[in-house]
Amino acid sequence: MDRSSTGALEAEVPHLTIYYRRYADWLRARLRIRFGADVADDLVQEAYLRLAPYQLEQIRSPKSLLLRIASNLALDGLAREGVRRRYQQTARPAVEALDSPHETLLLKQILQAMPEKDRDVFLLSRFEGLTHAQIASRLGIAVKTVEWRMARALKHCDVHLRR
């Protein structure tokens, strides 16, 4: 949080300025060690914004509170990134990943037996990696319709794979 960023909050939350001047450099240094310099500044800013609603007399250990807030923010960000990465890995299965011609043939049969509208949504999601919103935009339908069609397509796949 640079000096201009804190200006708007200074009038409303005077303890924020006091704590920023006292602890920002310390907090930034700790966060750089734990999470890297590229995210430390953003974490410091967000931590101070999260500290704003607190009353001065409520804060017994400002350094601990700031470090806990910033650490939680960083861990939340890492968790979200992990989920995003896992989704991207599963959302784009490569046809080359199929182990045998039998699996390729089975996939083709399942897709051919699937209703066309459901198949279109399934292919755009799983093979082109589009989000539901992107699919809705491309097909000119509502996101909720994409969700319904995707659910039917997945159920179709499940039923055929259990045979």
Side-chain angles (χ1 to χ4, degrees):
M1 191 178 292
D2 60 25
R3 301 247 184 241
S4 63
S5 300
T6 60
L9 289 173
E10 282 181 16
E12 292 179 35
V13 192
H15 70 278
L16 195 62
T17 303
I18 294 166
Y19 286 154
Y20 184 80
R21 289 182 183 146
R22 280 188 195 160
Y23 306 119
D25 291 336
W26 169 85
L27 181 60
R28 190 174 291 107
R30 293 291 302 262
L31 294 173
R32 282 184 178 153
I33 292 167
R34 283 180 81 181
F35 302 107
D38 54 333
V39 296
D41 289 333
D42 290 337
L43 289 173
V44 169
Q45 286 183 3
E46 186 66 28
Y48 276 94
L49 290 174
R50 300 283 175 103
L51 185 69
Y54 288 85
Q55 299 298 319
L56 184 62
E57 59 274 0
Q58 290 178 326
I59 303 172
R60 287 185 288 173
S61 180
K63 287 170 84 172
S64 296
L65 180 60
L66 283 165
L67 187 57
R68 173 56 39 214
I69 291 170
S71 295
N72 287 344
L73 289 167
L75 294 174
D76 287 348
L78 290 171
R80 277 192 303 277
E81 183 59 34
V83 168
R84 188 176 301 117
R85 223 177 297 116
R86 281 191 305 277
Y87 174 76
Q88 288 174 341
Q89 289 170 351
T90 61
R92 292 180 167 207
V95 175
E96 301 83 35
L98 298 175
D99 290 336
S100 69
H102 174 71
E103 289 178 347
T104 304
L105 179 61
L106 179 61
L107 176 63
K108 286 181 181 178
Q109 289 172 341
I110 291 171
L111 290 173
Q112 287 173 348
M114 189 180 293
E116 183 180 1
K117 291 179 179 182
D118 297 347
R119 181 176 54 237
D120 291 344
V121 168
F122 182 82
L123 291 173
L124 289 171
S125 173
R126 298 299 187 211
F127 290 94
E128 291 191 32
L130 298 181
T131 65
H132 288 181
Q134 291 169 328
I135 295 168
S137 176
R138 183 179 285 188
L139 297 178
I141 58 176
V143 174
K144 198 65 175 169
T145 303
V146 172
E147 292 170 0
W148 290 332
R149 289 179 183 175
M150 189 64 182
R152 284 194 312 256
L154 292 172
K155 184 169 177 72
H156 176 87
C157 291
D158 185 55
V159 166
H160 281 76
L161 289 173
R162 288 182 188 268
R163 286 186 193 175

